[in-house]
């Protein structure tokens, strides 16, 4: 089915507007990607909803597959090359039939390839429609990381002592670096970068120890060791990473920063590299910037119910600041990107100042600050105001000058999005005053103050309810009493049992019990009452009283609501939040 017909069908079913479909069609012809790929990358339609819509359009049944139940013997039916090129996977086999999943069941070449395989096996062929993530997960089963790395290590010969450290390298004058010798190193680095994307890791750490090289991934906020290699491989692997990111190979005494981009699984992946000298050699930290995992909608992040409505209304205002606060690694930038994707329309000019640019988004004018040459947030903000912006995103307000310029931009008819370091939403106003902002300017320029934290999300496949202990029940009841009456009554009705949840682990979550992370939010709005407080005596105690009058849901209360729904464990809520 051609792009135009597919998009028209999605419009008929109410999943796309005419304007968005027109843009997708234009972009598809420019990038040579099909419209479905663009919808998936932009997260315009939920993957399962898209699959069900496509199933109705093509009259091919959609089947949700449990990848962990497909055994390794079944993988041998269809070669990896066929799976990769034609976007197909084996699902099951009976005595006379093989069932396959297809991402594009209307692809004639893919069908011919599968019919050829079925003919060779002398069995019938059954076809289901599958989602892209199911195909990608199955593809990974064909190329296990540890096997690839072990094979590459075995192909290398180590002539030096096993106990030698990275700082005691013995030079062999006759030794030359041929392409064949470099190939295993290239393979190890490529497999590691690919595996990090598969596992949805946010960071890769390549760390020399005294007698080995350790590779760790940060997955769902926790570091996990994925490989331990001979220390002799440390220098070649770090050098390969430096070559990819265009860093100086011979400079090992000072930290260096770089980045590179590659295409994996049909999408652009950015890697941001930072090297760091240690006594046993250079450590390399690589941030994995995958748009599929990094660019999310507000609801996917955990912004739901009343909080979601407040943010939607707040960003509809014609001007003013939205400040997001929280510690490092709490997902502030991800929330900013989610808001910018909502505001990203043809009729507005969005300009951002970032340090660094993490994700490239079509339609945005993104700029990376370079303090070493005098191009910082403050000087960049002055230049932005000459770019005729409607919406300005500043990565972080770090100093008085940047704060003053951001306030000025918000007062002169711009929407300003930025982050600030405070413990909660109540601390935003005192922090701005501490940065020498005149209190009378704050109410006119500030719309929303958003605080957030990240907590591990329980695996939804294996989560199990249990009665909350008495002590926990007391904490839950105490916090529910502080909620707005409408929300409190609704929660008490739907959660009479006061159950909490834990996930013991299953195949779907690789026995970890968690799958991804979810954000906890608290949102404070600027109101006439808060304006009076700011202009008279803006203490945190008085701001808290106004927050309660507004019906603000605190970080702890938001966490408890999500714990009662089974999204996160109550222990994580109590660990990450404090009583307000």
């Amino acid at each position: 089915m051609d792009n135009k017909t597919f998009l028209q069908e999605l419009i008929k079913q109410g999943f796309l507007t005419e304007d968005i479909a027109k843009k997708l069609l234009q972009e598809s012809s420019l990038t040579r990607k099909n419209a479905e790929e663009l919808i998936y990358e932009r997260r315009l339609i939920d993957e399962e909803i898209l699959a069900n819509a496509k199933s109705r359009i093509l009259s091919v049944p959609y089947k949700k597959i449990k990848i962990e139940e497909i055994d390794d013997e079944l993988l041998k039916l269809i070669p990896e090359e066929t799976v990769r090129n034609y976007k197909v996977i084996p699902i099951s086999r009976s005595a006379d039939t093989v069932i396959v999943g297809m991402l594009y069941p209307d692809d004639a070449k893919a069908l011919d390839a599968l019919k050829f395989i079925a003919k060779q096996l002398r069995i019938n062929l059954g076809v289901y429609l599958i989602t892209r993530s199911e195909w990608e997960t199955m593809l990974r089963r064909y190329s296990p990381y540890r096997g690839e790395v072990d094979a590459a290590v075995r192909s290398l010969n180590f002539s030096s002592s096993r106990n030698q450290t990275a700082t005691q390298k013995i030079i062999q004058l006759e030794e030359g670096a041929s392409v064949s010798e470099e190939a295993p190193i290239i393979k190890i680095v490529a497999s590691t970068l690919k595996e990090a994307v598969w596992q949805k890791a946010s960071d890769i750490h390549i760390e020399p120890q005294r007698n080995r090289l350790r590779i760790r991934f940060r997955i769902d906020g926790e570091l996990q060791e994925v490989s331990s290699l001979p220390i002799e491989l440390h220098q070649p692997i770090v050098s390969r990473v430096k070559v990819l990111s265009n860093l100086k190979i011979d400079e090992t005494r000072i930290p260096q920063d770089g980045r590179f981009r590659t295409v994996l699984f049909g999408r652009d992946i950015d890697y941001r590299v930072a090297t760091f000298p240690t006594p046993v050699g250079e450590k390399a930290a690589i941030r994995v910037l995958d748009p599929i995992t990094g660019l999310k909608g507000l609801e996917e992040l955990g912004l739901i119910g009343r909080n979601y409505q407040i943010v939607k209304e707040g960003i509809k205002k014609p001007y003013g600041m939205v400040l997001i606060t929280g510690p490092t690694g709490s997902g502030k930038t991800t929330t900013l990107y989610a808001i910018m994707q909502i505001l990203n329309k043809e009729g507005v000019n969005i300009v951002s100042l970032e340090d660094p640019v993490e994700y490239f988004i079509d339609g945005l004018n993104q700029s990376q600050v370079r303090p070493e040459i005098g191009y910082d947030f403050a000087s960049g903000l002055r230049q932005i105001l000459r770019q005729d912006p409607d919406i300005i995103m500043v990565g972080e307000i770090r100093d008085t000058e940047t704060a003053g310029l951001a306030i000025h931009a918000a007062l002169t008819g711009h929407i300003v999005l930025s982050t600030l370091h405070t413990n909660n939403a109540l601390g935003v106003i005192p922090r701005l005053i501490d940065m020498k902002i005149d209190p009378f300017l704050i109410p006119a320029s500030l719309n929303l103050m958003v605080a957030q934290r990240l907590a591990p999300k329980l695996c939804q496949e294996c989560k199990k309810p249990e009665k909350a202990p008495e002590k926990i029940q007391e904490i839950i009841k105490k916090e529910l009493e502080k909620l707005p009456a409408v929300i409190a009554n609704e929660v008490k009705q739907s959660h009479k049992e006061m159950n909490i949840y834990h996930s013991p682990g299953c195949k779907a979550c690789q026995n970890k019990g968690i799958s991804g992370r979810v954000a906890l939010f608290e949102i404070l709005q600027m109101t006439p009452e808060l304006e009076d407080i700011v202009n008279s005596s803006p203490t945190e105690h008085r701001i808290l009283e106004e927050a309660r009058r507004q019906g603000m849901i605190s970080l702890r209360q938001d966490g408890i609501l999500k714990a009662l729904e089974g999204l996160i464990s109550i222990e994580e809520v109590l660990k990450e939040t404090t009583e307000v």
Side-chain angles (χ1 to χ4, degrees), residues 329-358:
S330 60
K332 299 188 295 294
T333 307
T334 307
T335 304
L336 281 181
Y337 275 117
I339 292 171
M340 284 197 292
Q341 285 183 94
I342 294 171
L343 297 172
N344 186 12
K345 294 185 170 63
E346 195 174 334
V348 296
N349 178 22
I350 303 178
V351 188
S352 77
L353 275 177
E354 303 175 50
D355 184 20
V357 174
E358 293 201 359

Side-chain angles (χ1 to χ4, degrees), residues 368-400:
Q368 180 165 322
V369 297
R370 297 192 179 278
E372 67 274 12
I373 58 169
Y375 180 49
D376 55 16
F377 284 124
S379 61
L381 250 175
R382 285 195 190 89
Q383 295 302 321
I384 276 184
L385 293 169
R386 297 171 191 165
Q387 290 293 319
D388 183 32
D390 298 294
I391 298 158
I392 299 167
M393 191 278 251
V394 184
E396 187 184 338
I397 293 176
R398 295 175 180 168
D399 52 54
T400 301

Side-chain angles (χ1 to χ4, degrees), residues 29-85:
S29 62
L30 288 169
T31 60
R32 296 183 183 178
K33 286 182 179 180
N34 67 41
E36 188 183 336
E37 276 185 84
L38 294 172
I39 290 168
Y40 177 70
E41 286 174 9
R42 303 281 159 77
R43 313 184 84 81
L44 295 173
I45 304 173
D46 178 79
E47 201 178 27
E48 282 189 41
I49 293 172
L50 181 63
N52 280 307
K54 194 173 162 187
S55 171
R56 290 191 290 273
I57 294 166
L58 298 174
S59 301
V60 176
Y62 162 60
K63 184 177 178 70
K64 189 171 171 61
I65 296 155
K66 291 192 174 179
I67 301 293
E68 64 274 6
E69 292 178 3
I70 297 173
D71 60 50
D72 292 338
E73 283 301 310
L74 198 58
L75 302 188
K76 296 173 185 174
L77 287 179
I78 303 178
E80 181 182 351
E81 193 178 348
T82 305
V83 170
R84 191 179 294 278
N85 292 338

Side-chain angles (χ1 to χ4, degrees), residues 459 462-464 502-514:
C459 173
C462 63
K463 69 175 184 182
K464 290 180 180 171
H502 291 100
S503 298
C506 62
K507 283 185 179 178
C509 61
Q510 299 174 339
N511 294 314
K512 291 187 294 184
I514 57 171

Side-chain angles (χ1 to χ4, degrees), residues 287-339:
R287 171 64 56 90
V288 183
L289 301 169
D290 181 356
I292 295 298
T293 54
L295 294 177
K296 295 180 178 177
L298 289 174
E299 289 176 283
E300 286 178 273
L301 292 171
L303 195 65
I304 51 176
R306 181 176 181 274
N307 281 345
Y308 181 57
Q309 292 306 319
I310 291 170
V311 169
K312 277 184 77 176
E313 286 167 21
I315 61 178
K316 279 181 185 172
K317 292 183 180 178
Y319 60 87
M321 289 177 74
V322 175
L323 290 180
I324 301 174
T325 181
T328 304
S330 60
K332 299 188 295 294
T333 307
T334 307
T335 304
L336 281 181
Y337 275 117
I339 292 171

